[in-house]
Amino acid sequence: MKKRVLVTGGAGFIGSHICEDLVKKGHDVICLDNYFTGGKENINHLRDFKNFELIRHDVTEEIRLEVDQIYNFACPASPIHYQNNPIKTIKTNVLGTLNMLGLAKRVRARILQASTSEIYGNPLEHPQKEEYWGNVNTIGIRSCYDEGKRLSETLCFDYHRYNSVDIKVIRIFNTYGPRMHIEDGRVVSNFIVQALQNKDITIYGDGSQTRSFCYVDDLLKGIIDMMNTENFIGPVNLGNDGEFTVKELAEMVIRLTGTKSKIIYKALPQDDPARRRPDLTIAREKLNYQITIQLEEGLKKTIAYFDNYLKNMK
Ligand code: NAD
Ligand code: UDP
């Protein structure tokens, strides 16, 4: 059935993929963004669709709209961007989520909150299951994002308990793919752009820290399925459970691009998690979640995207 759907952060990397999917399925989509890290180029191709609408707005301010579903994705996701103005990051997570929950309550919409693996902090349990409460520094440089996202989860569950708001909470693990900003600063886009430009590849620390990288198409399916599933509110981990060191990632990007770039080592940022891998048991059980694109294949697609992007910039 056709729905009216609000996607906050809809001009960002993941948000733009959600908008595109929903527009093509015939839903009425409102993309809301303040363009802090997203851009109109991510959703320009949707602007001729009659069922697509764009609003420049900041989620920290209230807004009144009539919608059936809300995907709350507004928030910078890259450490350099969310640390650029940490107070604003907190406001986006706390006031932004409050505003969206208030809207969901008022119009009885279902709301899906984009939470993150960062709520596990520097995890002492591995892989991370949803029942793990995490190991988070409250006063570090990542805290604005980690604690902001933790509070946004709390808000969702309190609105659910006290106001019967129809919530869904997903915890996204490192996701990459086309439409990441060229200066996003996260590791996959950094390494690919550096490699394509034959610049030094910057490993922070000794590169032994691990991450589990998910290609955006697999995540997108999990997100849409979670929104449309009944009798399950989460939280649920979504990502890819293949685990790689940052050094392995750098070596793979070098091999796949055939670059002349050399690896250089820089200081490891404060509170950088040492290991991260999702336990996807619940996603598989509740959503029949499946990984279809492994790292090498996803990197090839992303390399092709950035290669084309850089050529068009010239
Ligand atoms: P992104 O930075 O590309 O997208 C975020 C979007 O939100 C941008 O378009 C930005 O302009 C917009 N935005 C930021 N603050 C806003 C505000 N106050 N009002 C309105 N719009 C605002 O990042 P992304 O990777 O697409 O992440 C999207 C969401 O998914 C974020 O909430 C992020 O925390 C979450 N997430 C992403 C990952 C990942 O690996 N990509 C992992 C965990 C969680
Ligand atoms: N990283 C790196 N070089 C870069 C960017 C990131 O070595 O140019 C490292 C970073 O220190 C972290 C990992 O890659 O250990 C993932 O970083 P990212 O910012 O992508 O995501 P997050 O730390 O939030 O998982």
Side-chain angles (χ1 to χ4, degrees):
M1 208 180 67
K2 185 169 164 172
K3 294 207 158 58
R4 298 161 303 174
V5 189
L6 171 64
V7 183
T8 79
F13 160 50
I14 300 175
S16 65
H17 287 277
I18 298 174
C19 288
E20 181 176 308
D21 184 83
L22 296 173
V23 166
K24 290 187 174 163
K25 285 176 180 156
H27 299 292
D28 278 329
V29 177
I30 302 173
C31 167
L32 181 156
D33 210 292
N34 70 349
Y35 305 121
F36 176 48
T37 50
K40 288 185 188 151
E41 67 276 10
N42 286 339
I43 30 95
N44 263 341
H45 63 297
L46 300 176
R47 294 176 85 169
D48 288 339
F49 286 83
K50 286 198 178 70
N51 55 337
F52 182 74
E53 208 177 328
L54 192 54
I55 302 179
R56 180 192 285 264
H57 182 80
D58 194 306
V59 284
T60 60
E61 305 287 340
E62 273 192 47
I63 189 162
R64 283 176 190 268
L65 297 164
E66 297 293 325
V67 290
D68 305 306
Q69 293 185 335
I70 303 168
Y71 289 84
N72 191 28
F73 277 66
C75 181
S78 161
I80 53 167
H81 293 296
Y82 71 64
Q83 288 164 19
N84 171 268
N85 186 343
I87 314 284
K88 178 71 193 202
T89 300
I90 295 169
K91 285 184 180 169
T92 296
N93 279 310
V94 179
L95 300 178
T97 306
L98 264 172
N99 286 333
M100 289 306 126
L101 284 162
L103 175 63
K105 179 183 163 194
R106 206 155 47 233
V107 301
R108 295 183 196 281
R110 174 172 286 183
I111 178 167
L112 181 144
Q113 174 64 19
S115 186
T116 165
S117 52
E118 286 290 322
I119 66 104
Y120 300 119
N122 193 3
L124 303 177
E125 287 184 17
H126 193 80
Q128 291 78 54
K129 289 188 166 74
E130 289 84 350
E131 66 191 28
Y132 177 49
W133 288 356
N135 176 40
V136 180
N137 179 2
T138 58
I139 56 171
I141 55 172
R142 292 175 90 99
S143 309
C144 59
Y145 183 77
D146 298 10
E147 295 291 2
K149 288 284 184 183
R150 285 169 70 94
L151 190 56
S152 71
E153 286 197 7
T154 310
L155 285 167
C156 287
F157 277 82
D158 281 337
Y159 267 77
H160 177 67
R161 275 189 290 262
Y162 291 97
N163 293 306
S164 306
V165 171
D166 188 3
I167 62 154
K168 304 267 174 188
V169 174
I170 59 168
R171 294 180 180 154
I172 303 170
F173 283 65
N174 298 65
T175 298
Y176 67 96
R179 304 209 195 111
M180 290 184 92
H181 195 279
I182 188 168
E183 288 175 357
D184 180 89
R186 281 176 281 182
V187 69
V188 176
S189 48
N190 263 14
F191 285 1
I192 291 177
V193 173
Q194 288 163 346
L196 290 173
Q197 297 181 326
N198 291 309
K199 291 183 177 161
D200 290 340
I201 296 199
T202 53
I203 288 184
Y204 303 158
D206 63 6
S208 64
Q209 69 272 38
T210 69
R211 292 293 185 274
S212 301
F213 301 104
C214 181
Y215 188 70
V216 65
D217 288 4
D218 283 337
L219 177 82
L220 179 67
K221 179 148 191 325
I223 293 172
I224 303 287
D225 287 347
M226 179 61 175
M227 176 61 107
N228 295 299
T229 199
E230 300 304 322
N231 305 318
F232 175 56
I233 62 175
V236 61
N237 292 336
L238 291 179
N240 182 319
D241 51 7
E243 185 179 359
F244 294 84
T245 66
V246 165
K247 181 133 189 261
E248 284 168 340
L249 175 73
E251 285 163 351
M252 204 182 281
V253 169
I254 289 173
R255 177 166 57 80
L256 295 176
T257 52
T259 181
K260 297 191 190 74
S261 299
K262 298 272 170 293
I263 290 176
I264 59 162
Y265 293 88
K266 292 193 159 186
L268 187 69
Q270 190 199 338
D271 293 340
D272 200 289
R275 293 186 78 184
R276 184 184 287 159
R277 175 156 66 95
D279 183 313
L280 296 173
T281 310
I282 293 182
R284 290 194 174 104
E285 273 173 21
K286 299 282 186 187
L287 307 173
N288 194 23
Y289 181 71
Q290 282 166 2
I291 290 152
T292 63
I293 300 168
Q294 295 302 347
L295 184 59
E296 181 155 336
E297 189 188 347
L299 285 180
K300 283 185 190 159
K301 289 172 186 278
T302 313
I303 290 166
Y305 167 80
F306 277 114
D307 193 30
N308 189 42
Y309 189 94
L310 290 168
K311 280 181 183 139
N312 285 332
M313 267 175 62
K314 281 177 192 158

